[in-house]
Amino acid sequence: MEIEIELTRGPIVEKILPQSTGARGAWLEFRGVVRGEENGQRISALEYEAYPEMAAREIRRLLGEISTRHPCLATKIIHRIGAIPVGETAIYVGVASAHRGEGIALLAEFMDKLKQDVPIWKRRALPFVGDEVTSLNISKKQSTVSPGTLDDALAKISSRCAPLPAVRLSLQESLGRILRETICAPNDLPDADRSTRDGYAILENDCSETFLMVDTLHAADWKPRQLKISEAVRIATGASLPCEGLRVVMQENVQRNGDKIHIIKSETDHNIRKRGEEVKSGAPLVWAGVRLDAGKLALLASAGCVQPLVSPRLRVVHFTTGDEVTPPDQTPLPGQIRDSNSILIRGLLQDYSCDLAQSHLPENFEAAKEKINHHKEVIEKANVVLISGGASVGDKDFTRPLLESLGFEIVFSQVAIRPGRPMIFGVSGSRIAFGLPGNPLSHFVCFHLFVAAALAKLCGAPPGRFLRGRLSAPINDPNPRETLWPARLEWAGANTMLHPLKWSSSGDLTCLAEAGALVRVPPNSPALAAGAEVEFLTAGNNCFQ
Amino acid sequence: MQQCFIARSSWCKLHPVRVLFFAQLKDATKCDSLEIALPSPVSAEQLWAELLKKFPALAGHRSSVRLAKNFEYTAPGAQFSNADEVALIPPVSGG
């Protein structure tokens, strides 16, 4: 029995495709999903822990043992660990068997034994975030609550954002949108056996030396006929073959004399693309949740899908704050700096289909509130409100009360990461808001970690996954907070290298200009040596990947 | 979490036994692993005695904990020696 086992920290998006192996008569898929309640309490997520090396061996041992009683052909097991939001898959089991009986029996017995023997634990339930509803009165008290972890924050974002209603658009307008339905092939691709060469179609096993040319087929021709021994049909590249059991001899290997041809060089290749070789009729072509790029749109066009169901265009409002910032085209006075966050946010949003409105708020709560009231209509229609700066606990920092005055319920206001600890996430109906720390590097990190995850959820795409790579140089900077270390990324498959960048403060812009990845350094981590395997998130224009 | 070390001058061996703690046992021991240098192979009983000396809070868990050695559950009578990876497995709850 083929066995595939995976323990992952990211969402399980696995889909099993019935492969064309004749013996497989039954395909079973089981997903164990996190319920909204644990011991009578509403929860937002469950956190799982595993002893990964042993868990994988134990799963393999169990499957081996159970399959002696219920022989199956293939199994795939994926268990997610870390914080898993309500409604998402904790375990996925796919089973292929000759008949349904043994598949169902294996699945049932495996799940029972998994819960007895495999070293994976439900560690704790994260409480339902709605309980954290705040008002202005208690918001001061809440800010002293110790900040949650990165995983907690991501689980809360995932559970509080819902995909926006999808729309049907023309292919041209769908570029860059997230596909919200799975498009299946309406027919086999290619739809008939087609020649891959300009040449002559003859019977597969015909050993004649001379052939009589009985027909000519161009690319668009559809002329079925049964060929006989010593008969050949002139055929163009891409044309449908007239019947089954043929091969195509390249014209370069043939000598032609009127309607007679003579093969001068034998070939082993049939030079035929078989019907359904690329995709079988009814098989998924493009999955829901992927971003429609040029290639995928071309595939949809070829399948005749001209009005796909896609994510709507997002409406984003972005406010910068702080009296210390001046527009980039002005020379800052002493104590001032140029605004880099406006263009940073605009650039980061480039890969999302969105309309962006940007404005600056004065550094005075009443004045800011008044200015924001001018924009009330835009804010009410926005899907996402972003406020840069003003998220810390300084006297002038007012993002939190400002968002509350706009009707947002604050879900969290701090995350134990660096850079970027003051980080506010709020919800109001289907609208969401982020208060981002003002420093550019913090901005960059928080956008990729949190805003991108929320935008993906609103659009109906899976969030970015942490990938694995190796450090090219050591990181030795123990800190009680989890650190997202900016790094230059060098893709090389299994040997993807991360070059940690010099980074001294959250305002470090030179480092930001080079960063292509954020390396996850756990809290209180001992020094990470060069060559150490680490988790990272791609940064820069890599959304949805 | 930090590692805890038991160092005994007379026991200095290059590759000590590594003991891993999971789930609620991490809370009980406040660490996720421990290294013990053993003078000679020991039984489960002797290993437990050593662990309980260091972490009395494990006593309450002992009856429900299974021992694994090098990624497999151990059979009665198993011996543990230097360079083994031993895991204390509390009742599991995956799926």
Side-chain angles (χ1 to χ4, degrees):
Chain A
M1 183 171 73
E2 290 170 42
I3 299 176
E4 221 180 302
I5 300 163
E6 192 186 332
L7 295 174
T8 176
R9 287 194 163 269
I12 300 176
V13 289
E14 197 61 28
K15 297 123 192 160
I16 278 206
L17 276 181
Q19 291 160 9
S20 52
T21 302
R24 298 178 179 184
W27 287 85
L28 282 137
E29 270 189 294
F30 168 77
R31 279 164 189 274
V33 172
V34 175
R35 276 190 304 267
E37 238 183 55
E38 180 84 352
N39 302 323
Q41 301 287 312
R42 285 188 78 178
I43 63 165
S44 66
L46 275 181
E47 193 178 328
Y48 283 78
E49 177 188 332
Y51 179 15
E53 300 86 348
M54 181 169 166
R57 288 170 77 128
E58 197 59 20
I59 289 174
R60 193 171 292 279
R61 186 188 66 76
L62 285 177
L63 288 171
E65 188 227 337
I66 300 167
S67 68
T68 58
R69 287 187 297 284
H70 310 294
C72 291
L73 299 166
T75 51
K76 175 154 192 164
I77 315 289
I78 310 174
H79 204 302
R80 183 170 169 189
I81 49 180
I84 311 177
V86 165
E88 295 192 11
T89 304
I91 184 167
Y92 170 93
V93 183
V95 182
S97 52
H99 305 96
R100 70 181 185 282
E102 55 266 31
I104 294 171
L106 178 128
L107 174 60
E109 196 175 330
F110 171 73
M111 284 306 298
D112 287 344
K113 296 228 158 126
L114 170 99
K115 286 166 186 288
Q116 293 163 16
D117 287 336
V118 177
I120 298 176
W121 298 269
K122 283 191 187 84
R123 193 71 166 96
R124 64 194 174 117
L126 306 179
F128 181 61
V129 283
D131 298 337
E132 232 180 288
V133 172
T134 56
S135 72
L136 267 173
N137 301 341
I138 57 162
S139 62
K140 283 225 169 77
K141 219 194 274 171
Q142 286 247 331
S143 65
T144 62
V145 168
S146 68
T149 64
L150 173 57
D151 283 337
D152 289 345
L154 291 175
K156 283 177 179 174
I157 289 174
S158 175
S159 71
R160 297 305 298 267
C161 295
L164 296 169
V167 291
R168 281 203 184 278
L169 293 180
S170 70
L171 284 180
Q172 174 179 338
E173 291 167 303
S174 301
L175 181 65
R177 307 289 180 106
I178 303 303
L179 184 63
R180 295 283 287 272
E181 59 184 346
T182 296
I183 304 295
C184 297
N187 43 258
D188 289 342
L189 278 180
D191 56 351
D193 291 355
R194 289 182 182 273
S195 174
T196 61
R197 301 284 181 192
D198 288 328
Y200 298 86
I202 58 172
L203 286 175
E204 204 170 6
N205 301 317
D206 194 340
C207 301
S208 313
E209 284 182 358
T210 311
F211 293 82
L212 177 68
M213 206 176 96
V214 294
D215 206 347
T216 298
L217 296 177
H218 298 107
D221 285 344
W222 174 243
K223 290 196 271 185
R225 67 178 293 154
Q226 190 57 51
L227 283 194
K228 298 195 189 86
I229 291 275
S230 300
E231 281 185 347
V233 167
R234 172 96 175 108
I235 193 160
T237 302
S240 305
L241 286 140
C243 64
E244 291 191 351
L246 302 182
R247 64 188 169 104
V248 174
V249 185
M250 286 163 67
Q251 62 184 12
E252 291 85 342
N253 296 333
V254 163
Q255 209 169 43
R256 183 169 159 188
N257 190 1
D259 61 356
K260 294 267 180 7
I261 62 163
H262 185 73
I263 296 180
I264 51 173
K265 191 175 162 202
S266 61
E267 288 178 67
T268 48
D269 200 331
H270 278 43
N271 297 321
I272 291 171
R273 272 176 76 215
K274 286 281 184 196
R275 174 181 179 149
E277 182 181 289
E278 213 179 308
V279 187
K280 288 256 183 282
S281 171
L285 279 181
V286 189
W287 292 98
V290 308
R291 188 160 181 266
L292 291 175
D293 56 18
K296 293 188 182 71
L297 287 177
L299 182 55
L300 293 191
S302 77
C305 170
V306 292
Q307 285 235 306
L309 192 67
V310 298
S311 58
R313 197 168 174 83
L314 294 174
R315 288 184 299 267
V316 183
V317 184
H318 174 222
F319 293 104
T320 49
T321 64
D323 291 344
E324 75 276 23
V325 296
T326 67
D329 59 350
Q330 287 177 20
T331 306
L333 298 171
Q336 289 191 317
I337 49 165
R338 291 192 175 97
D339 167 30
S340 55
N341 285 335
S342 297
I343 191 66
L344 179 63
I345 290 291
R346 187 169 284 279
L348 291 171
L349 286 170
Q350 193 65 49
D351 269 2
Y352 301 81
S353 296
C354 67
D355 294 316
L356 174 65
Q358 287 184 303
S359 184
H360 185 78
L361 294 177
E363 198 163 310
N364 167 294
F365 181 59
E366 290 309 322
K369 211 168 143 185
E370 200 189 316
K371 182 153 184 195
I372 230 169
N373 273 329
H374 289 303
H375 298 287
K376 203 146 192 179
E377 222 170 284
V378 183
I379 292 172
E380 272 164 11
K381 282 189 188 149
N383 308 114
V384 183
V385 177
L386 303 175
I387 301 183
S388 296
S392 195
V393 286
D395 288 343
K396 287 185 171 176
D397 291 334
F398 51 68
T399 303
R400 183 178 181 131
L402 207 56
L403 286 175
E404 285 170 330
S405 78
L406 289 168
F408 284 94
E409 166 206 328
I410 304 302
V411 177
F412 59 77
S413 58
Q414 290 190 55
V415 185
I417 58 161
R418 72 171 181 151
R421 177 167 165 170
M423 164 71 217
I424 300 172
F425 171 57
V427 177
S428 166
S430 65
R431 292 184 305 157
I432 59 167
F434 287 96
L436 299 166
N439 289 315
L441 185 58
S442 306
H443 235 69
F444 185 75
V445 168
C446 288
F447 183 93
H448 286 293
L449 285 179
F450 305 115
V451 182
L455 295 180
K457 191 83 194 259
L458 294 182
C459 294
R465 287 175 79 154
F466 281 94
L467 308 171
R468 298 194 82 86
R470 288 190 187 283
L471 289 179
S472 69
I475 294 182
N476 185 7
D477 189 19
N479 192 284
R481 283 192 266 156
E482 178 159 11
T483 304
L484 280 304
W485 199 285
R488 200 157 51 72
L489 177 61
E490 192 185 322
W491 287 110
N495 294 317
T496 291
M497 291 304 285
L498 295 140
H499 309 283
L501 293 167
K502 255 199 199 150
W503 159 55
S504 48
S505 80
S506 317
D508 204 328
L509 274 155
T510 45
C511 151
L512 187 154
E514 262 200 275
L518 301 169
V519 175
R520 208 169 172 176
V521 182
N524 298 314
S525 166
L528 298 172
E533 200 186 31
V534 289
E535 285 193 346
F536 71 94
L537 192 67
T538 56
N541 292 317
N542 289 303
C543 69
F544 302 142
Q545 247 86 70
Chain B
M1 284 200 201
Q2 288 179 340
Q3 287 191 355
C4 309
F5 288 89
I6 293 182
R8 296 215 178 161
S9 50
S10 59
W11 276 14
C12 271
K13 290 273 162 110
L14 269 176
H15 301 291
V17 161
R18 196 169 140 80
V19 184
L20 306 181
F21 306 111
F22 290 100
Q24 58 266 44
L25 304 185
K26 267 186 198 166
D27 300 336
T29 60
K30 309 259 188 309
C31 67
D32 57 14
S33 66
L34 163 79
E35 293 191 349
I36 311 176
L38 297 172
S40 58
V42 296
S43 66
E45 191 62 34
Q46 290 164 309
L47 185 70
W48 267 111
E50 204 57 46
L51 289 171
L52 290 173
K53 248 187 260 168
K54 174 78 183 166
F55 303 114
L58 285 177
H61 296 280
R62 183 171 172 180
S63 59
S64 63
V65 165
R66 282 191 281 176
L67 289 179
K69 185 174 90 174
N70 302 330
F71 317 116
E72 280 173 20
Y73 288 113
T74 54
Q79 295 274 305
F80 302 87
S81 42
N82 285 336
D84 281 341
E85 179 167 311
V86 178
L88 271 59
I89 312 279
V92 303
S93 50

